[in-house]
């Protein structure tokens, strides 16, 4: 059992709470210090261990690359030795007649196809190539002067030479291995084999780890990064750079240093560097360097370390946290348990002395709570009354808004029939003055039909007001189009010639109501004709097309188009570009078409506007 601390009997809960806060602050500071130290140490250990692991793996990979490079080198090295003792080579160099040279050309051509060599060629003592394996090609080496090449002069003097250079004819880099034909006292010429390392470099590139081979001057000869070729591992001294350029060993290569910086040596052959690879950013690599036996070359192998080190550091830090956090948690639990025991003892002592005071305070609290409750009830009642007033105001405002929309809709819907009735009435009066009763009767009959139409419209509006709609029925689309044109004839007399209508066959029927569909077409025809008002080339094309989904009616004009600001909210109530327009025509038209399962689409630009109505075909 826990022992009761001696100081707890004389300490109040408030004093213990202050002590506890100070203790927890101290504990938090110590815990933060321990966690920081653990994370730092784990990160340092993880980085060191991962670098050692990557270095071991990198040495193995580098040694394999060196072994592969030596295997590639050894095979072609035997060719010059064998050819220098070949009788046909000697005959061609001594006789120098066409027959002997032709035999040698063909022999070299056959040899190079069966080996890994790029080119085999034979040079006379004057430095001119007399035969070559590429004698048939446009870039044949035959006849070229190679006296300036070190592999020629070296073989003539020492008997054999190896020289890496950029081909002055092929413009391809490679290693030239040469051997003298004949003894030093009476040389006959030089046999040269050129080998290229394209396949080796391609194999290196598959590892996605930069590797390069440099010569004794630090010039990169073979590399898995093509853009690094003929760059240098360190800046060249001016005399050395001038000598290399004079020899034309690497052509016009700039011989600039590699984009490898900030080396930090870990051992004589291992260092941490920063390198910029083509298409990448500055990254950290582990650089391993090793010599290539039988050559003066060195191979450098770069292993990316950022991701592996980050993973190793993260793993070690998680492991450290897995050890440190439970220990800190246990320490925190023990500290909390000790403080809880102290607080419990102090609380028991304080509870006895506070009991009487709390009874009095509780009574006073209940009285104050009752007063607050009564005040809140009064406030709630006042708020509820205000809310009811606001709701009534909103209902009244909503009724006024609906009344305005209905009034505007009625005015818009019956405007066209009333205008047409007025025109027919004027015509009937004129016919009666002329004693022409038959045309007057026809106009009066049309007026009667239009009054029936106004009655249908008002019935439609009543149905709309009752939140209902006219049931869809099969309607002859041709009659709908003709009815809409007839109702527009009085208002747009003389301007209906702009309408070019491709009437559908009488058998084509759609689902809807004739009066309501006429309202849609009247609105679209009227908008198109008004947009073309005053234009000599006014043209409105009305087309009907049956599709797999139903029937489409297109209304296209060659007007100025709809402004983008209007087009974005074209089907929004009261959105219009007309001075006297209400902005309800298209809204009503869209609702009518939607009632019968259709839709309206619009497209507009500077060359005109096109409305497309999609309707369901009647079964």
């Amino acid at each position: 059992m826990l022992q009761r601390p001696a100081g707890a009997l004389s300490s109040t809960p408030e004093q213990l709470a202050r002590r506890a806060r100070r203790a927890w602050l101290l504990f938090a500071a110590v815990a933060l210090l321990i966690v920081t130290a653990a994370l730092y140490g784990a990160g340092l250990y993880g980085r060191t261990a991962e670098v050692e692991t990557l270095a071991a793996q990198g040495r193995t990979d580098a040694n394999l690359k060196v072994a592969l490079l030596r295997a590639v080198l050894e095979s072609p090295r035997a060719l010059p030795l064998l050819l220098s003792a070949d009788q046909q080579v000697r005959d061609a160099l001594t006789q120098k007649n066409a027959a002997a040279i032709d035999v040698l050309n063909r022999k070299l051509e056959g040899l190079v196809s069966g080996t890994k060599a790029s080119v085999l060629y034979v040079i006379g003592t004057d430095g001119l190539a007399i035969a070559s394996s590429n004698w048939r090609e446009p870039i044949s080496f035959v006849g070229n002067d190679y006296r300036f090449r070190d592999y020629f002069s070296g073989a003539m003097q020492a008997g054999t030479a190896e020289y890496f250079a950029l081909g002055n004819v092929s413009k391809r880099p490679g290693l030239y291995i040469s051997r003298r034909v004949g003894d030093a006292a009476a040389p006959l010429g030089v046999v040269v084999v050129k080998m290229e390392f394209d396949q080796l470099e391609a194999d290196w590139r598959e590892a996605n780890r930069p590797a390069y081979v440099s010569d004794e001057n630090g010039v990169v000869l073979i590399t898995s990064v093509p853009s690094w070729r003929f760059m240098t591992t360190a800046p060249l001294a001016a005399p050395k750079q001038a000598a290399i350029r004079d020899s034309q060993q690497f052509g016009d290569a700039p011989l600039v240093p590699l984009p490898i910086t900030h080396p930090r040596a870990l051992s004589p052959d291992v260092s941490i560097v920063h390198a910029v690879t083509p298409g990448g950013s500055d990254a950290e690599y582990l650089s391993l360097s090793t010599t290539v036996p039988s050559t003066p070359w060195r191979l450098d192998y770069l292993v990316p370390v950022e991701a592996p080190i980050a993973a190793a550091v993260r793993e070690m830090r998680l492991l450290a946290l897995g050890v440190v956090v439970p220990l800190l948690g246990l320490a925190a639990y023990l500290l909390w348990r000790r403080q809880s025991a102290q607080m419990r003892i102090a609380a028991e002592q304080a509870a006895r002395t506070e009991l009487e005071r709390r009874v009095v305070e509780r009574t006073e609290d209940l009285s104050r709570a009752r007063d607050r409750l009564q005040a809140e009830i009064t406030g709630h009642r006042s708020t509820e009354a205000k809310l009811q007033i606001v709701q009534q105001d909103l209902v009244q405002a909503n009724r006024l808004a609906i009344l305005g929309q209905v009034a505007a809709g009625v005015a818009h819907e019956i405007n066209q029939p009333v205008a047409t009735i007025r025109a027919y009435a004027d015509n009937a009066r004129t016919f009666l003055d002329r004693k022409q009763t038959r045309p007057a009767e026809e106009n009066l009959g049309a007026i009667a039909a239009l009054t029936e139409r106004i009655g249908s419209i008002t019935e439609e509006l009543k149905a709309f007001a009752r939140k209902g709609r006219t049931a869809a029925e099969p309607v002859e689309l041709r009659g709908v189009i003709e009815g809409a044109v007839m109702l527009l004839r009085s208002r747009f007399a003389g301007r209906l010639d702009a309408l070019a209508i491709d009437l559908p066959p009488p058998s084509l029927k759609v689902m809807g109501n004739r009066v309501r569909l006429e309202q849609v077409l009247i609105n679209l025809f009227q908008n198109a004709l008004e947009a073309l008002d005053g234009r000599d080339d006014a043209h409105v094309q009305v087309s009907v097309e049956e599709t797999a989904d139903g029937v489409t009616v297109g209304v296209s004009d060659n007007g100025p188009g709809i402004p983008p600001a209007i087009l974005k909210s074209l089907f929004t109530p009261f959105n219009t570009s007309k001075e006297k327009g209400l902005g309800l025509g298209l809204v009503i038209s869209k609702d009518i078409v939607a009632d019968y399962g259709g839709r309206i689409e619009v497209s507009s630009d500077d060359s005109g506007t096109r409305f497309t109505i999609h309707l369901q075909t009647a079964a």
Side-chain angles (χ1 to χ4, degrees), residues 50 229 340 393 486:
E50 185 63 21
R229 182 174 286 109
S340 297
D393 291 342
M486 185 268 291

Side-chain angles (χ1 to χ4, degrees), residues 200-382:
L200 178 66
E201 292 176 334
D203 294 339
W204 287 1
R205 277 194 293 273
E206 291 180 359
N208 291 324
R209 293 184 174 183
Y212 58 91
V213 175
S214 56
D215 62 8
E216 64 275 13
N217 295 320
V219 180
V220 176
L221 307 178
I222 306 168
T223 174
S224 63
V225 183
S227 61
W228 287 5
R229 182 174 286 109
F230 299 153
M231 300 182 78
T232 61
T233 57
L236 293 177
K240 175 61 70 176
Q241 191 175 37
I244 293 175
R245 292 196 182 282
D246 292 341
S247 68
Q248 300 182 23
Q249 181 179 3
F250 304 119
D252 297 329
L255 301 177
V256 296
L258 288 166
I260 299 176
T261 56
H262 310 302
R264 179 163 54 90
L266 303 179
S267 66
D269 60 343
V270 180
S271 61
I272 298 291
V273 300
H274 288 262
V276 180
T277 56
S281 57
D282 186 3
E284 193 175 53
Y285 292 86
L286 184 68
S287 175
L288 298 103
S289 182
T290 182
T291 59
V292 180
S294 74
T295 70
W297 297 348
R298 291 190 65 84
L299 181 138
D300 288 271
Y301 183 52
L302 302 185
V303 180
V305 297
E306 290 182 349
I309 287 179
V313 169
R314 183 168 56 252
E315 182 178 354
M316 292 306 300
R317 286 177 174 172
L318 289 175
L319 181 60
L321 289 176
V323 175
V324 172
V325 170
L327 293 177
L328 292 175
L330 178 60
Y333 170 73
L334 294 176
L335 178 60
W336 170 80
R337 185 176 178 182
R338 180 174 180 274
Q339 292 176 350
S340 297
Q342 293 176 348
M343 291 293 294
R344 184 172 63 253
I345 295 170
E348 290 174 356
Q349 292 177 346
R352 286 190 294 268
T353 60
E354 290 288 320
L355 183 57
E356 294 81 3
R357 186 177 60 85
R358 287 182 178 273
V359 171
V360 176
E361 289 181 352
R362 183 61 176 167
T363 303
E364 294 177 354
D365 290 341
L366 289 175
S367 298
R368 287 194 295 268
R370 180 196 60 194
D371 295 339
R372 286 197 301 269
L373 181 59
Q374 290 177 349
E376 289 178 0
I377 292 173
T378 303
H380 284 313
R381 289 175 178 173
S382 175

Side-chain angles (χ1 to χ4, degrees), residues 36 58 74 100 120 141 173 177 202 276 279 308 392 435 437 462 494 544 608:
T36 302
E74 292 304 323
L120 283 167
F141 289 3
I177 304 173
V276 180
Q392 292 174 359
K435 307 302 183 180
T437 59
K462 289 180 191 177
V544 180

Side-chain angles (χ1 to χ4, degrees), residues 168-192:
N168 65 321
V169 175
S170 64
K171 302 302 180 184
R172 294 177 59 82
L175 177 65
Y176 296 84
I177 304 173
S178 59
R179 192 169 187 88
R180 185 181 59 215
V181 180
D183 53 21
L188 300 177
V190 175
V191 177
V192 183

Side-chain angles (χ1 to χ4, degrees), residues 24-40 321 324-325 328:
W24 281 114
L25 288 175
L26 179 60
F27 178 82
V30 173
L32 180 61
L33 181 61
I34 292 174
V35 169
T36 302
L39 292 177
Y40 176 77
L321 289 176
V324 172
V325 170
L328 292 175

